[in-house]
Amino acid sequence: MKRTTWVALCFARRFHSSALAPSVSVFLVLTLGVDPLHASEHRIWEEFSGDKALVHVERLVDLGPRPPGSETIDKSRDYIERELRMFGWQVIRQAFTGDTPRGKVRFLNLIARFRALASTAPSFLLCSHYDTKTFDTIRFVGANDGGSSTGLLLELARVLGLHPNLAAKVELVFFDGEEAYENFSETDGLYGSRYFARQLADSGTGKKFRGGILFDMVGDHSLDVTLPTDSPVEMARDIFASADALKFRSYFSYFDREMTDDHTPLNAIGIPTVDMIDFDFAWWHTADDTIDKLSAQSLQIVGSVAAYYLSEFALKQGADF
Ligand SMILES: [Zn+2]
């Protein structure tokens, strides 16, 4: 039934500007028994593919460990950029040098905006980190930690790209240097998001963003997304409502404490940002954070809930949260 509805909508949209539109829609309604007028125009959550997201993660993991400043992170960057461009996004490289416990390291955030619709400025951030933690003693490929959220964000980019009016309201950010070399502190970890937030604050352009979602570790086949207690209350409520609408509510709950992650610097400069994270992952920061621990179904659940939330709450006309 849902599939049938979607076929009707696709055709109706394709013929929208054509003089044939009314007759084609009527024909499809009669043929398929579906009334496009009563279906939501943007059921974008049905277009999200967990399988496609997982393919992106596989491509990244196949490159091997991707720590900041490495040749492999360069390659992962090229991959992310190539895919984004294919989906209609323009990519800006935000490069900077950070002081780390291992000396100066060159980091590079990727910022993507949908090909310019002059009338719309992005007002919502969707973020993921794409670096993997630096280890000297293990081979860490970060399938879940660094890979899963990046794959999911690339698939969201594809889906949003099919709806230019929605895509134009969004800025995608792929952070480098999320991981700490030693321990998270004011000066170690979150290099990319701290730099990104500081640039926004210093230039006074942060105000244009009304909110954001950070994805992190969202591919565990035993999915249990826990929103940290520092999540902006209204956003968390609407995300739970989105999960409920899609019958995925049981996969989402509150975490029992705050979380330090790339959303922290954004919240600190006044951009309410939720961290969609499943921190209950037995292989976290081990050599066993590998692709076999992930499932397309988990990516599908998080991706469709996020898409539903964007379409029905955050990016909805006149939305205010
Ligand atoms: Zn990590």
Side-chain angles (χ1 to χ4, degrees), residues 129 131-133 135 140 144-146 178-180 184 216-217 261 279 284-285 289:
H129 79 91
D131 61 306
T132 57
K133 186 168 169 64
F135 284 99
F140 180 74
N144 199 24
D145 189 1
E178 184 268 344
E179 301 286 2
F184 282 105
D216 198 3
M217 298 170 64
D261 203 346
F279 198 60
W284 178 62
H285 287 181
D289 179 359

Side-chain angles (χ1 to χ4, degrees), residues 39-189:
S40 171
E41 177 69 15
H42 298 293
R43 297 176 70 87
I44 69 168
W45 54 91
E46 292 182 356
E47 296 170 70
F48 187 94
S49 161
D51 288 315
K52 285 195 164 79
L54 188 61
V55 169
H56 292 307
V57 187
E58 282 165 358
R59 297 272 188 278
L60 294 167
V61 167
D62 284 349
L63 295 170
R66 306 171 302 284
S70 65
E71 226 174 84
T72 40
I73 201 170
D74 265 345
K75 286 184 185 157
S76 72
R77 226 162 1 237
D78 292 345
Y79 176 78
I80 294 166
E81 283 186 333
R82 210 166 43 237
E83 295 297 303
L84 287 172
R85 291 207 178 99
M86 217 159 60
F87 303 142
W89 297 79
Q90 293 166 335
V91 188
I92 300 160
R93 291 185 163 208
Q94 184 181 55
F96 63 99
T97 303
D99 285 310
T100 81
R102 296 198 175 198
K104 292 201 181 305
V105 175
R106 189 94 175 130
F107 296 102
L108 209 155
N109 294 328
L110 295 174
I111 302 169
R113 294 182 194 142
F114 202 65
R115 51 180 181 247
L117 280 186
S119 56
T120 314
S123 58
F124 200 86
L125 291 167
L126 295 174
C127 317
S128 160
H129 79 91
Y130 71 99
D131 61 306
T132 57
K133 186 168 169 64
T134 302
F135 284 99
D136 297 326
T137 49
I138 60 168
R139 185 174 189 274
F140 180 74
V141 297
N144 199 24
D145 189 1
S148 64
S149 51
T150 303
L152 182 142
L153 195 46
L154 283 174
E155 169 59 1
L156 262 184
R158 182 190 71 81
V159 170
L160 286 166
L162 302 172
H163 306 275
N165 290 335
L166 287 181
K169 297 180 185 174
V170 167
E171 186 165 295
L172 314 176
V173 191
F174 296 80
F175 293 124
D176 197 354
E178 184 268 344
E179 301 286 2
Y181 286 88
E182 290 166 1
N183 296 304
F184 282 105
S185 70
E186 295 289 306
T187 53
D188 192 13

Side-chain angles (χ1 to χ4, degrees), residues 1-13 34-47 163 166 245-246 307-313 315-317:
M1 179 63 187
K2 278 179 181 164
R3 188 167 289 274
T4 323
T5 309
W6 181 237
V7 170
L9 281 171
C10 284
F11 277 91
R13 188 173 300 126
V34 173
D35 178 359
L37 295 176
H38 290 96
S40 171
E41 177 69 15
H42 298 293
R43 297 176 70 87
I44 69 168
W45 54 91
E46 292 182 356
E47 296 170 70
H163 306 275
L166 287 181
L246 299 182
Y308 188 99
Y309 168 74
L310 291 173
S311 164
E312 300 304 294
F313 291 100
L315 308 182
K316 213 173 174 75
Q317 211 69 33

Side-chain angles (χ1 to χ4, degrees), residues 222-275:
S222 154
L223 184 70
D224 183 17
V225 176
T226 43
L227 307 186
T229 49
D230 60 0
S231 302
V233 176
E234 293 80 10
M235 292 180 74
R237 180 198 62 206
D238 295 342
I239 288 168
F240 287 135
S242 302
D244 206 22
L246 299 182
K247 309 262 185 290
F248 292 143
R249 182 66 178 81
S250 61
Y251 296 100
F252 291 77
S253 61
Y254 263 120
F255 199 46
D256 56 2
R257 60 209 120 112
E258 291 193 6
M259 177 76 78
T260 298
D261 203 346
D262 283 325
H263 68 304
T264 310
L266 297 173
N267 278 314
I269 61 159
I271 302 175
T273 308
V274 166
D275 188 5

